[in-house]
């Protein structure tokens, strides 16, 4: 029973984890590539990376709210509510 629930949770969480990992890795690659140019370009790249984190964090909050509502509807066997 627990293994099945863990498998379902991991299936749902995998795209979110991959998206976050991609965002973090892109910031690291940007820092490595721009770091050779000097301090000011590195600071600018870091600033833009942080600015782009704002929509990502807001989207994660929205996704969290949606997943809670969908799981509640799924538990209540309300498939119509799950798909909206």
């Amino acid at each position: 029973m627990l293994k099945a629930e863990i498998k379902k949770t991991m299936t749902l969480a995998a795209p979110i984890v991959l998206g976050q990992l991609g965002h973090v890795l892109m910031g690291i690659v940007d820092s490595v590539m721009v770091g050779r140019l000097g301090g000011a370009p590195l600071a600018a790249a870091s600033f833009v990376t942080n600015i782009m984190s704002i929509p990502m964090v807001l989207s994660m909050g929205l996704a969290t709210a949606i997943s809670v509502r969908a799981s509640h509807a799924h538990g209540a066997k309300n498939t119509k509510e799950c798909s909206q």
Side-chain angles (χ1 to χ4, degrees):
M1 178 79 174
L2 184 61
K3 283 185 179 182
E5 292 300 322
I6 290 174
K7 185 177 179 180
K8 288 179 185 179
T9 302
M10 291 302 167
T11 302
L12 289 172
I16 296 170
V17 169
L18 289 176
Q20 288 180 315
L21 183 62
H23 185 76
V24 169
L25 289 176
M26 186 61 73
I28 291 170
V29 170
D30 286 347
S31 295
V32 169
M33 298 297 287
V34 176
R36 297 178 183 199
L37 299 176
L42 181 59
S46 296
F47 179 72
V48 171
T49 299
N50 287 330
I51 293 295
M52 291 306 296
S53 295
I54 294 170
M56 185 184 77
V57 170
L58 291 174
S59 299
M60 286 172 24
L62 183 62
T64 301
I66 291 172
S67 64
V68 169
R69 289 184 50 87
S71 63
H72 184 268
H74 178 73
K77 306 279 190 242
N78 187 354
T79 56
K80 183 178 180 187
E81 183 80 16
C82 287
S83 64
Q84 293 179 352

